[in-house]
Amino acid sequence: MIVMTPGASADEIGAVRTRLEKTGVHVVVMPGELTTAIGAIGDPQGVAELGLEGLPGVDRVVPISRPYKLASSELSHHEPSSFDVAGRRVGGGETFCLIAGPCTVESSEQTLGVAEAVKAAGASMLRGGAFKPRTSPFAFKGLGVDALKILAEAREATGLPVVTELLDSQHADAIHEHADVIQIGARNMQNYALLEVAGKLGMPVLLKRGLSSSLDELLMAADYILKEGTEAVILCERGIRTFETATRFTLDLGAIPWLKLHTHLPVVVDPSHAAGDRRLVEPMSRAAAAVGADGIIVEVHEDPEAALCDGPQALYASQFADYARDVGAHASLLGKRLA
Ligand code: PEP
Ligand code: MN
């Protein structure tokens, strides 16, 4: 939509119209009481490239179409998309996936212990960090490729597909070899080169919302992955920065129904990093299930006090079965069963 200034002359309006028509868009001139608006229906990119803002008589150009394309629910005619990860359905409105495990792989015993516990309680996937994005460069950064091997062992033992973070494109092949779902961490949501690398691997990608990213930005980041040909992208709301510091981040629950309206992609919630405190994790998980999330990704440890990373927010493995039952009950209110 091109909005003309109040004083725009008929010649100026005509000049804009001619320019638009040359790009092949359909033009509708709408004279108003004070200003004239000109609607351009067609390729928004072609119109943007005309640089109409600089023409005499033009006040502003207002894009009406959405900035994200492949992630948009318009693309799927408002049908939710779904796909399988090692036989577990993600998205589609009938299943709820529980992705659980430690923040970080610390040892084979620790990872296998948690994996068995969450599997027995009904988790559908195992999470665990091998390469950790730490705020301080002096904090524990994960066991790297050794951790990937431990995760693969845990998958072998439990049958649970593995979700782990791709932090750097140089680890892409190793992750492709050992994992089932690539996680893109919040701090890398706008690392566009990394998003393209992840999209090229042909594996499902779990894309976390950036700490200070809008939902439009999240969906445009998803477009970077989708344009490489991967159809399996899972969005993750994990809390955003606000003025509130009582919780580690602020879980944006409104994001879930908003995303359900605007994208066909499945949406999961990470209550652990949003809360920073295990006592809040269960109520926030119930809320996430109740507002329509397709799943949860949650941190669990057998001995959180001894965890090398994010212990205070980790659920006790011994309490995970109760947790899974409660969250599953809330998901079933919306007609979803645990995947
Ligand atoms: C994680 O899942 O362990 C993690 C680091 O999450 P985020 O990128 O959301 O901070
Ligand atoms: Mn963590």
Side-chain angles (χ1 to χ4, degrees), residues 52-268:
L52 294 173
E53 285 93 342
L55 285 191
V58 173
D59 181 30
R60 60 195 192 275
V61 178
V62 187
I64 305 292
S65 53
R66 301 196 187 284
Y68 41 88
K69 309 277 172 233
L70 304 173
S72 170
S73 51
E74 284 164 9
L75 192 83
S76 70
H77 305 286
H78 299 273
E79 283 301 314
S81 56
S82 65
F83 43 86
D84 278 2
V85 178
R88 277 84 171 163
R89 181 120 295 231
V90 183
E94 283 171 13
T95 55
F96 190 85
C97 63
L98 213 44
I99 308 168
C103 176
T104 308
V105 171
E106 299 164 8
S107 69
S108 178
E109 299 69 48
Q110 167 248 8
T111 305
L112 271 137
V114 187
E116 297 286 2
V118 301
K119 158 90 194 257
S124 42
M125 294 186 220
L126 175 68
R127 64 147 289 149
F131 302 95
K132 298 300 297 178
R134 301 307 300 272
T135 302
S136 161
F138 308 114
F140 176 61
K141 287 196 245 173
L143 297 179
V145 175
D146 288 342
L148 293 178
K149 291 182 183 152
I150 294 172
L151 287 168
E153 252 178 68
R155 173 178 56 189
E156 188 69 26
T158 59
L160 292 177
V162 161
V163 183
T164 198
E165 178 163 353
L166 174 67
L167 189 61
D168 185 322
S169 56
Q170 64 177 312
H171 307 133
D173 289 341
I175 290 188
H176 184 248
E177 188 184 334
H178 296 292
D180 301 276
V181 178
I182 303 168
Q183 178 172 322
I184 297 290
R187 289 156 189 82
N188 270 320
M189 189 203 86
Q190 289 183 309
N191 182 341
Y192 301 120
L194 190 69
L195 298 179
E196 287 174 344
V197 168
K200 285 193 174 87
L201 291 175
M203 296 164 67
V205 178
L206 188 151
L207 174 64
K208 291 192 140 193
R209 180 181 183 181
L211 314 186
S212 302
S213 295
S214 69
L215 294 173
D216 272 9
E217 287 164 342
L218 172 64
L219 294 181
M220 285 187 271
D223 270 358
Y224 267 93
I225 302 168
L226 293 164
K227 82 173 168 60
E228 298 303 326
T230 302
E231 283 174 19
V233 174
I234 308 166
L235 303 172
C236 178
E237 161 59 35
R238 47 79 71 210
I240 50 175
R241 277 262 153 81
T242 67
F243 59 84
E244 182 57 77
T245 54
T247 48
R248 189 174 177 191
F249 292 91
T250 298
L251 184 66
D252 182 6
L253 276 176
I256 293 105
W258 188 93
L259 286 167
K260 290 278 146 202
L261 288 174
H262 293 91
T263 178
H264 56 90
L265 299 172
V267 182
V268 302

Side-chain angles (χ1 to χ4, degrees), residues 103 127 132 273 299 310 313:
C103 176
R127 64 147 289 149
K132 298 300 297 178
H273 292 88
E299 290 185 345
D310 287 349
Q313 69 195 31

